Amino acid sequence: MLPRQHRLTRPEEYRQVLRGRGPQRRRAGNDLLVVHAAFASADHSPTRPPRVGFVVSKAVGGSVVRNRVVRRLRALIAERLADVPAGTDLVIRALPAAAQATSAELGASLDRLLATVLPAGVR
């Protein structure tokens, strides 16, 4: 479990990351995952720790499979959280192929996507 300060908890927080547009928003995806990122602007506190949320739909599988995917992703992002800039919100959306992927495949996919969405020089 991620500490509370590192979690997106309210629906409006997810909406801001997923539906927002502009230079403070980025998105990258592949066959396993889609990572949405929203960066703190000048009027928001960039000293806030990074926060992460997960979206795993029923298309991925039943509840057991979905929860397994979320647990794997949560453990993978916890290892990489120190590399995410302060004030950044991430939403990681699992696609149906993530159900059959190993943790190593999910980790490699997550690393590639984070390198794409995070500002240059961070990762």
Side-chain angles (χ1 to χ4, degrees):
M1 179 70 60
L2 289 172
R4 183 165 178 77
Q5 78 249 21
H6 291 294
R7 288 183 284 175
L8 294 176
T9 56
R10 297 189 322 247
E12 56 270 11
E13 294 171 342
Y14 278 84
R15 261 192 302 277
Q16 287 176 335
V17 177
L18 294 172
R19 302 231 167 96
R21 298 280 184 246
Q24 277 86 11
R25 307 270 189 267
R26 290 189 185 166
R27 178 181 68 192
N30 58 27
D31 57 334
L32 298 177
L33 304 170
V34 177
V35 175
H36 300 263
F39 306 101
S41 59
D43 57 337
H44 291 92
S45 173
T47 59
R48 171 180 57 71
R51 299 182 301 177
V52 182
F54 302 94
V55 176
V56 183
S57 75
K58 288 184 180 180
V60 174
S63 62
V64 173
V65 173
R66 291 193 314 267
N67 286 323
R68 183 182 321 125
V69 170
V70 169
R71 281 193 308 271
R72 287 178 177 175
L73 290 172
R74 193 180 301 127
L76 291 167
I77 197 66
E79 298 169 359
R80 294 155 175 82
L81 213 50
D83 297 332
V84 179
T88 302
D89 290 338
L90 297 173
V91 173
I92 300 170
R93 186 164 46 99
L95 299 177
Q100 283 77 37
T102 65
S103 292
E105 291 169 339
L106 287 173
S109 176
L110 186 59
D111 286 338
R112 282 192 303 274
L113 296 175
L114 286 176
T116 302
V117 298
L118 294 179
V122 174
R123 275 199 64 75

